[in-house]
Amino acid sequence: MQKQILTALAASLLAGSALAADIPLRDFFRNAEQSGFSLSPDGQSVAFLSPWESRKNIVVRRQGKPDQRVTAIKDRDLSGYFWKGNDRLVYVKDNAGDENFHLYSVDLASGESKDLTPFPGVRVDIVDGLVDRDDELLVQMNKRNPELFDVYRVNLKTGELKLEAENPGKVAGWLTDHDGNIRLAIESDGVNNTVLYRDEPGGPFRKLFTTNFRENFTPLFFTFDNQRFYAASSLGRDKAAIVEYDPKTGKEVREVYARQDVDVAGLGFSHKRKVITCADFETDKPGRQCFDAQSEALLSGLEAKLPGYQVDITSSNRDETRFIVTAWNDRTRGKSYLYDKSSGKLELLAELAPWLPEDKMAVMKPIQYQSRDGLTINGYLTLPQGKEDAKGLPVIINPHGGPWYRDSWHFNPEVQFFASRGWAVLQMNFRGSTGYGRQFWEASFKEWGGKMQDDVSDGVDWLVKQGVADPKKVCIYGGSYGGYATLSGITKTPELYRCAVDYVGVSNLFTFMKTIPPYWKPFLDSMYEMVGNPEKDKDLLRERSPVFHVDRIQSPLLVLQGAKDPRVNINESNQIVDALKKRGVEVEYIVKDNEGHGFHNEENRFAAYGAMEQFFKKYLD
């Protein structure tokens, strides 16, 4: 009897695995039919993104009326937008991935879209959406100088641009008070950051203090009387905390929230009620600490209605009586709901990917292992469904980009796709990954291709010792810095990897430094301290640049690159491909002319992952 039960269970698990494998590649990477929901200020309309001509465009849903598509973008998905009043939407869009974003406004009555910043080679970023002023917002542009951003007030009705603050030469960021006045600026010489403050709008800036770039002090928003401000600060701490700072006395007034295990970087507030709400942090999963009883009650009530899911509020009306709620976990992109606080009604707006059944997706399990020099490395291991207890699996090692970033617990379509094909995936937050404090971050300085790479290699060793990985079937894949780590892995430890996929990765640290966007140049000095100086650390950078060590490469390589990439210039991929071809080594190279730093358009994602699937099948199956 027991044998029959075990046989039935095994058959069930295998059937689940087979069904996951039967899910078409495109289903993992196609655009959601409806996503990115947002409420109008009056709460009577909902906007969302929906594909048209294979591109995500904005659609508006009004009560009692058919859905209205209000944009007609054909070249590139829109990644975001926001309401300005009840009859206008604003969005930003670049050209083929060049990251020189323009600001557009669309009038819902006429359906007319207008480019408000039609300046070639100029990038726009939002400084303040000015939620209480329907016809204005503040942006920063590098129109006057490609390396510097000035602040402009944009009149959405007339299109007029008025200079609000001219960058004196070193300002890298601006912050407004709750009345929309610029009151704070962060000045940087590349290594040291100075916080500038003015006591009243339009007044002179004065220096509050200067910190080294190693010390994080990020102003978040002002107190509601506009006299003090909140900041994420690691001054005198290893882990960043939320603090309240008084610019008049030049002192930290109080510590709002801190943790001993991870940084606390985010703080929310109620625009209507003028109270701080919850602080955000991330351990192995997202967490929050609420200080406001109403916010705590709202979130806990939603979590009770949606058990088993991470619940986030992503939008609200101005009265904070209606909310857009998303519910998700590691096995589903989730669902979006409209929640009415007065009635308690939770209305389903859309399931983001109903074609990916949650019960057929794999579990992303938080893990830890020790580096060879004693650091704790946190990460995530995703095992194919039905193979949770299996040994000797084929594995894809997947170091993240950044590198000053971190992998998180969430639904990851590429990880789920790999797992559906029978391959385990290991993601690790190697030294330098953010959120784990200053010491862990600083341990990465001048360790690109050094100890940072050892952390990746130690993850492979850990998997083999755990019996999870078949040491003869381990491949490595990553994008951006993860692409660099891929190339570094197959040159530094070629014996570890059966194959490799480099996605917009750095191959030559010298040329990488020379081709960064102009607005990154003010930070070059800190990059020199964190990565290495091309003059003073010439030998180090040469040793850590994979292009100079192609003779060590034993693994088959697939390279993917966007031709318009402003961060990792196409020459980075060209160099490694050309060097391998000169040695007579076959390398597969895919370039997309209408892409930048990563493949954004749907058909290019399909092509990229289709190539990866065939490549990994060849070497892992």
Side-chain angles (χ1 to χ4, degrees), residues 154-175:
V154 183
N155 187 304
L156 298 173
K157 276 189 172 179
T158 66
E160 178 188 6
L161 290 168
K162 179 184 175 184
L163 184 65
E164 190 80 8
E166 183 172 305
N167 196 319
K170 294 182 180 179
V171 171
W174 311 86
L175 187 71

Side-chain angles (χ1 to χ4, degrees), residues 566-586:
R567 305 187 197 187
V568 178
N569 188 278
I570 190 173
N571 187 44
E572 294 300 308
S573 291
N574 288 344
Q575 288 181 73
I576 198 78
V577 171
D578 290 346
L580 284 169
K581 285 183 176 179
K582 285 179 182 177
R583 288 185 58 231
V585 176
E586 185 177 344

Side-chain angles (χ1 to χ4, degrees), residues 423-489:
W423 310 317
V425 182
L426 176 66
Q427 301 165 280
M428 71 290 293
N429 287 321
F430 44 78
R431 71 190 67 204
S433 299
T434 52
Y436 298 100
R438 278 181 56 190
Q439 291 182 16
F440 191 79
W441 174 59
E442 289 184 23
S444 71
F445 290 5
K446 295 189 179 180
E447 292 296 345
W448 282 41
K451 292 180 181 178
M452 294 169 76
Q453 196 65 39
D454 291 341
D455 293 344
V456 178
S457 302
D458 292 344
V460 179
D461 291 341
W462 175 79
L463 271 186
V464 171
K465 288 175 182 176
Q466 293 288 313
V468 173
D470 177 347
K472 295 181 180 179
K473 289 188 176 182
V474 177
C475 289
I476 184 168
Y477 154 65
S480 195
Y481 176 85
Y484 166 82
T486 293
L487 296 176
S488 183

